[in-house]
Amino acid sequence: MRRPRTAARAVAGLAVLATLAAGCGGGSGNGDNKIEIGNKGVDGVHNPSDVKGGELRILNADDVDSLDPARAYYAFVWNLSRFYNRTLVTFDPKPGADGQKLVADLATDTGKSSNGNKTWTYTLKDGVKFEDGTPITSKDIKYGVERVFAQDVINGGPTYLIDFLQDPKKPYPGPYKDKDPNKLGLKAVQTPDDKTIVFNLNKPLPDFPYLLQLPGSGPVPKARDTGAQYANHPVSSGPYKIASYVKDKQIKFVRNTNWDPKTDTVRKALPDTISFTAGLSAEDVDARIQAGDADVDAANVGVQIATQGKILKDKKLAAQADNPITGFTRYFAINNKVAPLDNIECRKAVIYGANMATLQQSRGGQYGGDIATQMFPPSLQGYKAYDPYAIKANKSGQVDKAKEALKACGQPNGFAMNIATQDTPKGVAAAEALQAGLKRVGINATLQKAAPAKYYADFVGSPKSVHEKKLGVMQAGWGPDFPTPFGFFSSIADPRKILPAGNSNYGEFDDPKAAAAIDKALTEASVEASFPEWQEVDKLAMDNASYLPFIVDKALMYANPRVTNLYVTGGYGQYDFVNMGVGGK
Amino acid sequence: MFRFLLKRLIVGIVTLWVVTVVVFGIFTIIPGDPALVYAGKDPSAEVLAGIRAKLGVDKPLPEQYATFMKGVAVGRDFPTGPKMVHCDAPCLGYSYKKDVPVLGLITRALPITATMAAGAALLWLLGGVSVGVLSALRRGTFFDRIAMTISLAGVSLPVYFTGLIGLSVFVYQLQWLPAIDTNSPFGNPFDPVQTFQSFILPWVVLAFLYAASYARLTRTSMLETMSEDYIRTARAKGLPERTVVTRHGMRAALTPIVTMFGLDLGALLGGAILTEYTFGLQGLGKQALDAINKFDYPLIMGTTLFAAFFIIVANIVVDVLYAFIDPRVRLS
Amino acid sequence: MTTSPQDAILGAGPVDPTATPPEGVDGTPGGPPAEPKIEGRSPWALAWMRLRRDKVAIVSGTVVILLFLIAIFAPLLARLAGQDPNLQPDDPSSVLDPSGFPLGSFGGISGEHWFGVEPVNGRDLFARIVYGARVSLLISLLATMVQIAIGVVVGIIAGFVGGWLDNLLSGLVNVLLAFPIILFGIALVTVADSVNRELLLVLLIGGFSWPYIARIVRGLVLSLREKEFIEAARSYGAPTWRIMLRELLPNLVGPILVYSTLVIPTNILTEAAFSFLGIGVREPQSSWGGMLSKAARGFYQDDPMFMIIPGVMIMVTVLAFNLFGDSVRDALDPKSSR
């Protein structure tokens, strides 16, 4: 899940107005209907080019959450990390769904599996080096993986590797508490020689290579590991290294002369330098990019609403803009345990009562997202359309059906319930839209708000507190940590993943058939072969009425027209940084 | 005099100590597990326990407080994996979100807050006091009425509303000013013109608010002074009105202004949250607000203590100054 | 001295002299009954007479009364306009453009929507503004009551009983005055997530600003303590609580009244400031500060009315209370200013 992306969005939203674009008049017209978004970078590429030189200027409201690849969770930081962090495999640098496929990076291929997807073997390329010229060995990869286990120090990043590599009988505590003199005591990962690395999983996973493309699976030289302080200067294995980093202000990247382009088929490495500037208001970020003073917005969650208005009024701007689906589903989880929603008919009443048109408006209208009919995002590989509640045809909701469901539930006059939401402008707007829609059918909802940083962790993440506070309906956003159905569904639809703290299955969806389907999916030979099972999981979750998805996020994105090789990759649902150039200037 | 100073100092230190206890108490009784804020998703119990140990929140409260106070007094070490990071005294804590000592973050944001406060202070002192004096001298005239009406409007306007109007008019509509560079208001490298352009709106907006209340106070104080007996005596002696006003009237009338100025400046140096938030300037107030949104408790706690420190110091300075100006205080 | 968070500093805030009831040199407004009386009229009748002659008082007083009426009859007014403060149009495109900005000029002002509509969700602004008056006045009035109640009790006890109790209470006052209120308030609101927000705001605003009034009351009590009528009461052995209640309190009513009218606007601004920072009244409950906060997040340039209307409402309300408070003070104590 990319929870922190929501946080980034929230912070961007909170970030103050300050300044605005020069130029462009006020007022708010209806907009010219003929104006269409170019979407050139959604399936294709803006300005393909191999011209080197110049500085790529990236802006963001917020600083990176961490430059340490093992501690970052913001999707844009993962995207950015490809400049300085290479992994065994990585996303194919291509637009759209092709960008969800993996290609070899430090390794010679995308991995050989054996033992029913429980053993994965990789061989490193020759000539790969760190920024100080020392060769990257399989032990550096292993050490990088081990760091993830030291969650008391290296906290904040994804922990899938622990789930699949930990020995429950003898848990590995991470390298800082490792008794092995070389700090390479993790038994599940073996390095028979400097070029070979073998991963022995505790259970099969066809998606395992996707875990190895996570930035936290990159190499870290033990001699230069400074633990929690590593984030100040991670050692580069990619084409750029960190020249300076002033927190909350700026990161400067310069070329890493020890990177050999011959070993790297992924990165073009066109700009001479890259700057990442933070500490700006979200509006200021837009204004600078439109004025040509900067190149691209890092957050990739779309322009601010005022900027959107400008783009929609200007053909030239609209032609340069892209409006892709980002792979993020916005939904309300409906709790199976909180009365009267423990009755499926009452849950259905909530789904039928919702007004999707106003919900869509609350998230920025048609440019902010498409109306969702199912949890499975259409941009994710393995997607199959499913619309059990006929939402596509009834955007304003179905009051009659909702009332029927209420009758069947034994609450013909409606009932009272709570809607939990993050205390962010968009979050509250969506919750209010649901509240207003449900009022039509006699369901009186009260909003229960919590601060963004606390919302998932404390407020809706503990079933006990959810029951106590009677949070019948909880708003959430979910995107896959890596673009496979496993990455999307494993935490939100697995009955066994209902955790006492830090829970993500907010609705406590616990259909045993879903558990069976998930188990079967993981024993399939490949990611592709597991698609039917995951489609079944999606169907079960929808049929159970535990989820009310309302929007698949779209982002209206705009980058400086001078940026070359600009496209939206399906891997991150963002403009792919790794091959951007600025035409040498 | 020395005893008075010592007494004020002791009272100040005790006050600051009580503030640390209360602030520490508030932030540590926060319900919920702080480790969850730092963990990734689906954290296991071991992961959470590890993070709790790192944050030090697994210890009993008095011990946590003692550790914190020890850091303030002599500094302390924080574990960062392979080695410890030392945080020098006075150590106001360590931001686990940013992996740096809190004091460094505070001293980094201080120049922005200080620049804003100093520039605004200069403007409001000049504007507010002179308008107040003139108003008092021309009591009841058209000028007085207009000045007092404007200043009453001034104290009635929220600073974020005037700020937004200022941005809307001067930056957005008229484009007389460029957008404020919130990332580096001092320019990089230092650029006086850009710095001035970044601060002028906050200065004016903040100064307008204070000038309004200073004008009103100055006027009241001046009117009172000018009706005192000794002013009548001075006039009776045949001194020129100018001398009466400047040498006798203003000197006495401005004493309460000096007091107020000291307290206001002290409070402002702790961060002007609304102004910084409105203009997006990364001063102490904005930084603290962001820290709250990210649950960076050590940073909020450090900033609160730092702000309290400024207020208390300003109080002591003002009291001491007052004792110098007005010897009666010392007697009591 | 009083808090005035018009700038809402992290700290105690600028010390607003205008809200300071005359003190020290000014003597005690509404003074002790020992003062000479003209034609046997009570000071109250005199004050009322002066107030009625003051044009500013009449205008500002009318505005204040009007605001109270708006607050009380908010549901009626909204119904009169045919609007509901929380209702979102079923079809957003009827009032909003694709970007979520109101259709039409001036933020969508029309015969149907008198103040236009709110961006993104299309709710009626007029209805939200009148309901906002309710929140604003209710919270600030209740906070004022809390503040006065604590301040008077602490002030009287500290001033009259004196000794170690005075030292202790004065120490408490000093500690509270050293608190960066807004910052602390933010933290407190975050901690007390589940508490009713309106109640929390009342307690927060009231609970943190009483030290100012406690100081003033203590000062007044200290000077009253030496007056003959108190001495007299003491000499015939009246119990302390009785002296406080019967002799002291009536003499404090005047200054307290003046002070109350002058802190209400301050409290209105504080409430708005909290809502502006996103820690005040919760949506969908409307508040003027909250509207400005939303306007500030990217709406104010293209939909200026959405900023101007709530901003002007705050200004008018605070100004009216300030003017009226000034007039009340002048009426009770004609010696002061003007």
Side-chain angles (χ1 to χ4, degrees), chain B residues 26-27 30 139 152 155-157 160 172 206 209-210 213 216-217 260 264 267-268 270-271 274-275 277 289 292, chain C residues 6-11 14-15 17-18 26 186-188 191 272-273 276 301-302 307 315 319 322-323 326 337-338:
Chain B
I26 284 287
F27 283 106
I30 288 172
R139 180 187 184 179
L152 198 60
V155 292
S156 306
L157 275 167
Y160 44 90
Y172 188 65
L206 195 56
L209 172 77
Y210 279 84
S213 69
R216 286 167 66 79
L217 180 71
M260 199 166 91
D264 282 349
L268 261 186
L274 285 176
T275 314
Y277 182 78
L289 202 63
I292 281 165
Chain C
Q6 288 103 327
D7 167 80
I9 311 306
L10 275 173
V15 184
T18 61
D26 265 355
I186 297 170
L188 210 63
V191 175
F276 178 75
Q301 290 105 336
D302 292 309
M307 157 186 74
M315 190 189 81
L319 192 60
N322 270 336
L323 284 170
D326 265 11
S337 63
R338 210 171 280 259

Side-chain angles (χ1 to χ4, degrees), chain A residues 173-236:
Chain A
Y176 311 121
K177 290 178 186 157
D178 194 340
K179 297 209 177 64
D180 181 273
N182 295 318
K183 309 288 178 202
L184 292 169
L186 179 60
K187 293 278 179 297
V189 181
Q190 295 298 324
T191 51
D193 57 58
D194 278 357
K195 290 276 160 226
T196 313
I197 185 161
V198 184
F199 298 88
N200 291 301
L201 279 52
N202 54 27
K203 51 188 174 253
L205 181 66
D207 309 51
F208 188 68
Y210 281 91
L211 303 191
L212 295 180
Q213 64 71 37
L214 290 170
S217 309
V220 173
K222 191 187 80 197
R224 297 191 56 185
D225 180 19
T226 48
Q229 305 269 314
Y230 189 67
N232 296 327
H233 190 123
V235 179
S236 171

